[in-house]
Amino acid sequence: MASTDVKVIGAAPSPFVNRVQIALNLKSVDYEFLEEKMGSKSELLLKSNPVHKKIPVMIHGGKPICESLIIVQYIDEAWTDGPSILPSDPYARAMARFWAAYVDDKFYPTFRAFGSAEGEEAKAVAREQLMEAIMLLEDAFAKCGKGKDFFGGDTIGYLDIAIGCFLGWMRAVEKMSDIKLIDETKTPGLFGWAKRFGSNAAVKDVLPKTETLVEIAKMMAAKAKAQ
Amino acid sequence: MASTDVKVIGAAPSPFVNRVQIALNLKSVDYEFLEEKMGSKSELLLKSNPVHKKIPVMIHGGKPICESLIIVQYIDEAWTDGPSILPSDPYARAMARFWAAYVDDKFYPTFRAFGSAEGEEAKAVAREQLMEAIMLLEDAFAKCGKGKDFFGGDTIGYLDIAIGCFLGWMRAVEKMSDIKLIDETKTPGLFGWAKRFGSNAAVKDVLPKTETLVEIAKMMAAKAKAQ
C-alpha cells in the first residue's frame, strides 16, 4: 500500500521505534523513515512531540502520533483492511494490553537495570529480577498464545510486537554476558516464539543485528564511563 | 442493565477505582463492589492480580481484568450497546490514549510529589511542576474537546474519566494548601469542565467528598510521620 503521507521519526536501534516499523510492515503500509541523530533532537521531533520529546513519532497526513504502543493501536485502527494487530475478543484485547503495559512498566526497567548494574552483588540481584520478569512473560505466552505460534494466536499481534521488539537487545545482552535470557529448557515457549517472530517477513529486516547492538552498547558504556 | 456477574475490587477513595465505577455507570452496568481494607490485601485481590497485587480489579464472568485504563477500555469494548467511551475516529482515540497515559505517567507522580513535598523550597518546586502539568491538561482540553463540554466532545469519554477521577483529591489538596489547582482565570477550560464532569449522573456519587479525602490525607500523613 503506497502511503507516502506516513513518516516515522526514529532511530533504527530503538526497540520502541521498531514496534512502529513492524506494525506498519504487517499492514503493508509504506513509510518514510526520518532517522534521528543520537544525542540530538531534530526540530521536527520537538515540534511533533513537545510533551515527551521522544522517538518514535509517526506522522500520518501531517498529524503526529506519539508513544509506541499508542502508535501501534492507531495503526491497527487506521488501516483496518490489513491483518488485525489486536485480538477481536474484548478479554483477549485486555490481556494483550495488560502484558504490553507490563513489558513497558516492569520488564523494560528491569532489563535496563540489568544492563547497567555494577558490582557482583548488584548484578546478581538485577539478574534474578530480570529472570523473574522473563518467567512471567513465559507464563503470559502460555496464557495468551494458548499453544499457538504467537502471543496473538496464529499470527503476530500487539503483544508479540510489544515484547518482540526487545529480542535484538536481549540477544546483545546474552552475547555480552554469561547468561541466557531465553533458552529451550527454562523458557521453551518463548524460545520457539522468538525464532518464529524473528524470522517473520514483517520483522526480520527491522530487528537490528546483534553485532550492531553490541557495538552500540559498548559505545554507550564507554561514553557513560567518560562522563 | 443487571450484570450480577460484574465485581469490582477496590476502595472508594482511590481515583483509579473511581475510573472503573464511572465507566460502568456510563454503560449502566450494575456491579458488586468489594471493598479492600486499607493496609491489607484480600486473597481474592492477590489471586486476581498476582502481578501487581493492586486495585482496581474488575471480575467479569469470573475473569479478572487489571489496570484501571485497561479496564475502562475493556468496559467500552465489552458493552458496545451503551454510549461510546473512546472516540470513534482513530486519531482522536490516539490523542485520548496519549493524554490518559500522560495523566498516569506524568501528572499523577507530579501530583503525589506535591502532596508529599516538605520544606519551603521543595514545595515551591513541586508546586511549579504541578502547575505546569495542569497547564498542559488545559491545552489538551482545548485540543481534544474543541470547544465542547468534555474532553470526549459532547459526552464524557475516556480522557474525561482518566483525568476527572482526580478531581476529588485535587479539591482536597486545594483545601489543605493555599493554592488553587483549577481556577476560572488560569484554567478556564478545566474550570468549566470540572463543574460539568463532577455533576454528571455517572460521576457525582462516585467521586469521594472533599472532606472525606482531607480526613484520609491527614490520617495518612500522621501515619507516615509516626513511622
Side-chain angles (χ1 to χ4, degrees):
Chain A
M1 197 186 301
S3 291
T4 47
D5 63 342
V6 178
K7 293 179 174 70
V8 175
I9 311 178
S14 159
F16 301 103
V17 172
N18 297 160
R19 284 178 175 169
V20 177
Q21 297 173 287
I22 293 167
L24 287 170
N25 285 349
L26 282 173
K27 294 279 190 180
S28 306
V29 174
D30 292 334
Y31 59 93
E32 185 184 348
F33 193 76
L34 305 174
E35 182 94 27
E36 281 288 306
K37 276 187 203 142
M38 226 188 222
S40 73
K41 292 175 195 287
S42 69
E43 259 182 61
L44 184 65
L45 172 61
L46 296 173
K47 197 184 91 182
S48 307
N49 190 358
V51 174
H52 303 300
K53 304 174 181 69
K54 279 194 316 194
I55 53 169
V57 176
M58 185 173 91
I59 303 177
H60 183 203
K63 290 178 178 172
I65 304 121
C66 308
E67 302 281 81
S68 66
L69 290 178
I70 292 172
I71 301 172
V72 172
Q73 289 179 85
Y74 173 82
I75 291 169
D76 198 30
E77 293 168 350
W79 286 277
T80 48
D81 46 354
S84 289
I85 293 176
L86 273 114
S88 57
D89 171 66
Y91 191 75
R93 288 166 78 89
M95 286 303 99
R97 287 192 178 118
F98 174 83
W99 285 109
Y102 170 82
V103 167
D104 281 8
D105 300 341
K106 302 284 174 184
F107 166 78
Y108 177 62
T110 311
F111 185 50
R112 274 190 72 112
F114 176 73
S116 60
E118 290 200 19
E120 233 166 271
E121 203 177 327
K123 260 194 199 315
V125 172
R127 177 184 169 147
E128 195 172 322
Q129 287 173 342
L130 177 58
M131 287 318 299
E132 270 175 31
I134 290 173
M135 290 314 294
L136 273 180
L137 294 179
E138 174 76 9
D139 289 349
F141 181 71
K143 277 181 203 146
C144 297
K146 293 177 182 159
K148 296 196 172 174
D149 277 358
F150 297 103
F151 283 91
D154 291 322
T155 53
I156 287 178
Y158 186 65
L159 187 49
D160 294 283
I161 297 172
I163 305 174
C165 68
F166 290 104
L167 280 177
W169 280 103
M170 289 172 86
R171 287 193 192 117
V173 163
E174 285 180 336
K175 198 151 192 165
M176 290 184 296
S177 64
D178 59 342
I179 76 165
K180 274 272 163 209
L181 300 176
I182 293 180
D183 76 17
E184 214 160 355
T185 320
K186 271 186 315 213
T187 56
L190 290 179
F191 183 78
W193 164 80
K195 277 193 173 178
R196 290 186 292 273
F197 182 82
S199 60
N200 184 280
V203 176
K204 64 177 167 36
D205 297 329
V206 173
L207 281 192
K209 287 200 171 62
T210 312
E211 297 70 35
T212 312
L213 297 178
V214 168
E215 282 311 306
I216 293 173
K218 283 181 183 166
M219 206 175 70
M220 283 163 67
K223 210 172 159 186
K225 240 180 199 164
Q227 275 171 354
Chain B
M1 199 186 300
S3 293
T4 47
D5 62 343
V6 178
K7 294 179 174 69
V8 175
I9 311 178
S14 159
F16 301 102
V17 172
N18 297 160
R19 285 177 177 170
V20 177
Q21 297 174 288
I22 294 167
L24 287 169
N25 285 349
L26 283 174
K27 296 277 189 180
S28 305
V29 174
D30 291 335
Y31 59 92
E32 186 184 346
F33 193 76
L34 305 174
E35 182 94 26
E36 281 289 305
K37 275 185 201 144
M38 227 188 224
S40 72
K41 292 176 196 284
S42 69
E43 259 181 61
L44 184 64
L45 172 61
L46 296 173
K47 198 185 90 182
S48 306
N49 190 359
V51 174
H52 303 300
K53 304 173 179 71
K54 281 195 313 195
I55 53 170
V57 176
M58 185 174 91
I59 303 177
H60 183 204
K63 289 177 179 173
I65 304 120
C66 308
E67 303 279 81
S68 67
L69 290 178
I70 293 172
I71 301 173
V72 172
Q73 290 180 83
Y74 173 83
I75 290 169
D76 197 30
E77 293 168 348
W79 286 278
T80 48
D81 47 352
S84 289
I85 293 176
L86 273 112
S88 57
D89 171 66
Y91 191 75
R93 289 167 77 89
M95 287 302 98
R97 288 193 179 117
F98 174 84
W99 286 108
Y102 170 83
V103 167
D104 281 8
D105 299 342
K106 303 283 174 184
F107 166 77
Y108 177 62
T110 310
F111 185 50
R112 275 190 73 112
F114 176 74
S116 60
E118 289 199 20
E120 229 165 274
E121 202 177 328
K123 261 194 197 315
V125 171
R127 176 185 171 146
E128 195 173 322
Q129 286 172 343
L130 178 57
M131 287 318 299
E132 269 174 32
I134 290 174
M135 291 314 294
L136 273 180
L137 293 179
E138 174 76 8
D139 290 349
F141 182 70
K143 276 181 204 148
C144 297
K146 293 176 184 162
K148 297 195 169 174
D149 278 358
F150 296 102
F151 283 89
D154 292 322
T155 54
I156 287 179
Y158 187 64
L159 187 49
D160 294 284
I161 298 172
I163 304 174
C165 68
F166 290 104
L167 280 176
W169 279 104
M170 288 171 87
R171 286 192 192 118
V173 163
E174 285 180 336
K175 197 151 194 165
M176 290 184 295
S177 65
D178 60 341
I179 76 165
K180 274 271 164 209
L181 300 176
I182 293 179
D183 76 17
E184 214 160 355
T185 321
K186 268 186 315 209
T187 56
L190 290 178
F191 184 78
W193 163 80
K195 276 193 170 173
R196 290 186 292 274
F197 182 82
S199 61
N200 185 279
V203 176
K204 64 178 169 36
D205 296 329
V206 174
L207 281 191
K209 287 201 170 64
T210 312
E211 297 71 34
T212 312
L213 296 178
V214 168
E215 282 312 306
I216 293 173
K218 282 181 182 165
M219 207 175 69
M220 282 163 68
K223 211 173 159 185
K225 240 180 198 161
Q227 276 171 351

